[in-house]
Amino acid sequence: LDRISMNGDASIIVDRASPFNGDSNTYLQVQHLALGVDAALASNVNAHLGLVYQIENDSNVAGSLPNGGDSAGAFEMDEAYFTWSDAAKSPLYAKIGRTFSSFGSYTNAYPIMTGMNQALVQSNFTTAELGFASNFGVNSSVFLFEDATTGDWDKYGFRADYKGAVQNVKYDAKFSYVSDYSAYSNSGANLTSTSTVATADADEGAYNLDLNASMKNMEVGVSYFA
């Protein structure tokens, strides 16, 4: 049991709707319930399994949940991957399986309200990734992923991340790129309802730049997607 750990989190929406005609109603709904299991298979090999229950809520806006908040949801596998790393010998690591993409930047995969930038960059799919994680602020990786529409492994992306500090101010700059945004977005449950994805040109690349700075409990950041 010392090789296995479990984790989970949930978000709950309390939604009160006051229609023009009729009585007001209050709904209590579990927006998501995530369960994870991590296991150390060997000294350098780890496995992760993630399950998530999410409601069918395309609008993602409180007060407009389908059926007054009684929308049907589904429990499904969100992540299932293996990682290999040995930080004592090499800064390189490898990761393969279904996982959230390294394209873009977001800290919470299940926010109550999804921002515009996160809706465009967040996705998960079957991928193989090779990365470099250093202890002096530089991190980067390249990844191949399966095109959900064709089943071909001919799409790729990369990211480069640098973290540093000047006196009491910590900063982080991250640039990421994906070769075919239309194929990438087809695997993203958060993306399929957006008009941007519906009209994305095939074989058109996309990139995302994130700049963040923090001092004590205050943080400011900017994200740019194109």
Side-chain angles (χ1 to χ4, degrees):
L1 292 179
D2 60 346
R3 290 177 171 267
I4 300 175
S5 65
M6 300 183 67
N7 57 81
D9 65 271
S11 60
I12 298 174
I13 291 178
V14 178
D15 187 20
R16 181 169 179 80
S18 299
F20 290 109
N21 297 310
D23 298 328
S24 298
N25 292 288
T26 300
Y27 305 97
L28 178 68
Q29 181 167 267
V30 177
Q31 189 204 34
H32 94 275
L33 173 63
L35 302 173
V37 178
D38 293 273
L41 304 181
S43 59
N44 302 328
V45 181
N46 295 288
H48 172 77
L49 175 66
L51 302 175
V52 65
Y53 172 91
Q54 287 184 289
I55 63 170
E56 300 294 336
N57 178 16
D58 293 334
S59 64
N60 204 22
V61 177
S64 59
L65 298 178
N67 302 321
D70 296 327
S71 173
F75 225 128
E76 58 186 21
M77 184 181 69
D78 213 20
E79 291 187 291
Y81 60 81
F82 298 92
T83 58
W84 172 89
S85 65
D86 188 352
K89 296 182 179 180
S90 171
L92 294 177
Y93 69 88
K95 183 177 182 180
I96 187 168
R98 181 177 177 85
T99 179
F100 284 101
S101 171
S102 290
F103 177 62
S105 180
Y106 44 91
T107 58
N108 180 10
Y110 317 105
I112 295 293
M113 301 291 287
T114 303
M116 181 185 296
N117 183 264
Q118 181 165 342
L120 292 172
V121 300
Q122 178 177 329
S123 185
N124 60 350
F125 41 70
T126 306
T127 183
E129 184 170 8
L130 180 64
F132 174 90
S134 71
N135 58 3
F136 49 87
V138 178
N139 298 276
S140 62
S141 69
V142 294
F143 54 91
L144 295 173
F145 62 92
E146 181 183 19
D147 188 329
T149 58
T150 66
D152 296 331
W153 284 76
D154 57 351
K155 311 302 179 184
Y156 64 91
F158 68 85
R159 70 175 179 88
D161 187 7
Y162 180 74
K163 296 181 180 180
V166 177
Q167 295 182 350
N168 295 327
V169 178
K170 298 179 181 179
Y171 60 87
D172 181 7
K174 181 178 181 181
F175 177 83
S176 55
Y177 171 85
V178 66
S179 63
D180 186 349
Y181 182 67
S182 64
Y184 166 89
S185 59
N186 285 334
S187 297
N190 290 339
L191 308 175
T192 52
S193 63
T194 66
S195 59
T196 301
V197 173
T199 59
D201 294 332
D203 298 321
E204 187 76 15
Y207 64 88
N208 193 80
L209 176 65
D210 288 276
L211 302 173
N212 295 277
S214 62
M215 183 174 63
K216 295 184 178 180
N217 294 325
M218 185 174 67
E219 181 176 353
V220 62
V222 60
S223 296
Y224 181 77
F225 168 87

